[in-house]
């Protein structure tokens, strides 16, 4: 930690300047290629809520569609593998946890349209509505991690909340 000493006639003040002058030997943690983050889901919860086509149209028009498709694929793939391993390791009858069978019932990311669907398609095609609505609103990552594609930094997800706070040595 570097310090800047400010001296005047009445007192001497030392201020930390670690944000002004970072040490030269420490690599920077900033990245310009850190989007979209990869997702590794270990535990997911799948809800079954009714499709709100109007909300779906609004949301799809405001997002990077290719990132949605990629994220959904990663969640389904990693959650299926983790859940299948957990199902074979123990079968305690806990119905609150999502089973590998429930994940298999979700539409695969390959069934999502390659390009963002038009407003008309979203309002009229119930199959596409269901797939996209599941991806956006019904599949919740409870435990897992987000991974920066550039630096490999892992951000844990616990109880559905990602912790993206950097450690002191990463500032």
């Amino acid at each position: 930690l570097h310090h800047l000493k400010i001296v005047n006639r009445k007192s001497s003040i030392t201020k930390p300047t670690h944000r002004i002058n970072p040490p030269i030997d420490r690599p920077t943690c900033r990245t310009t290629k850190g989007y979209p983050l990869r997702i590794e889901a270990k535990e997911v919860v799948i809800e079954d809520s009714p499709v709100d086509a109007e909300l779906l149209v609004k949301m799809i028009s405001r997002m990077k569609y290719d990132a949605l498709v990629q994220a959904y694929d990663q969640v389904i793939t990693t959650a299926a593998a983790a859940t299948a391993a957990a199902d074979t390791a123990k079968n305690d009858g806990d119905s609150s946890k999502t089973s590998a069978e429930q994940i298999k019932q979700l539409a695969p990311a390959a069934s999502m349209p390659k390009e963002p669907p038009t407003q008309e398609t979203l309002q009229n095609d119930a199959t596409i509505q269901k797939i996209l609505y599941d991806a956006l609103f019904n599949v919740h990552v409870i435990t897992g991690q987000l991974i920066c594609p550039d630096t490999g930094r892992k951000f844990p997800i616990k109880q559905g909340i990602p912790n993206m706070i950097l450690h002191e040595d990463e500032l």
Side-chain angles (χ1 to χ4, degrees):
L1 187 63
H2 298 279
H3 292 278
L4 174 65
K5 192 166 189 171
I6 300 173
V7 180
N8 65 22
R9 292 182 190 178
K10 295 183 181 176
S11 67
S12 169
I13 302 171
T14 302
K15 289 187 175 182
T17 60
H18 62 281
R19 296 201 198 287
I20 298 171
N21 299 320
I24 295 173
D25 60 340
R26 186 177 75 194
T28 180
C29 293
R30 305 216 189 293
T31 178
T32 57
K33 301 173 191 166
Y35 178 83
L37 296 173
R38 289 192 329 262
I39 303 172
E40 286 184 3
K42 293 180 183 169
E43 179 186 352
V44 298
V45 169
I46 301 170
E47 293 181 355
D48 190 22
S49 57
V51 174
D52 182 342
E54 188 177 319
L55 176 61
L56 190 59
V57 168
K58 288 178 185 177
M59 292 298 294
I60 293 293
S61 67
R62 290 179 168 88
M63 65 177 43
K64 290 189 179 258
Y65 183 76
D66 58 332
L68 169 66
V69 174
Q70 180 182 355
Y72 181 69
D73 182 49
Q74 291 169 359
V75 168
I76 298 305
T77 304
T78 58
T83 306
D87 283 354
T88 57
K90 68 175 188 173
N91 188 359
D92 59 6
D94 184 1
S95 61
S96 66
K97 303 243 179 185
T98 301
S99 69
E101 239 359 87
Q102 288 172 297
I103 292 173
K104 287 179 187 176
Q105 290 176 3
L106 291 171
S111 63
M112 296 173 90
K114 301 293 181 215
E115 297 294 321
T118 64
Q119 246 184 0
E120 183 180 327
T121 303
L122 279 173
Q123 290 173 340
N124 298 324
D125 190 331
T127 304
I128 291 176
Q129 282 179 0
K130 177 67 174 145
I131 294 168
L132 293 175
Y133 202 81
D134 281 346
L136 283 170
F137 301 106
N138 289 340
V139 179
H140 306 279
V141 178
I142 303 302
T143 306
Q145 55 192 3
L146 300 173
I147 304 167
C148 176
D150 189 32
T151 64
R153 168 75 160 91
K154 295 179 180 182
F155 301 96
I157 302 170
K158 294 180 182 171
Q159 297 178 344
I161 302 169
N163 180 354
M164 300 188 75
I165 297 174
L166 297 175
H167 301 295
E168 180 68 28
D169 62 334
E170 297 173 312
L171 295 175

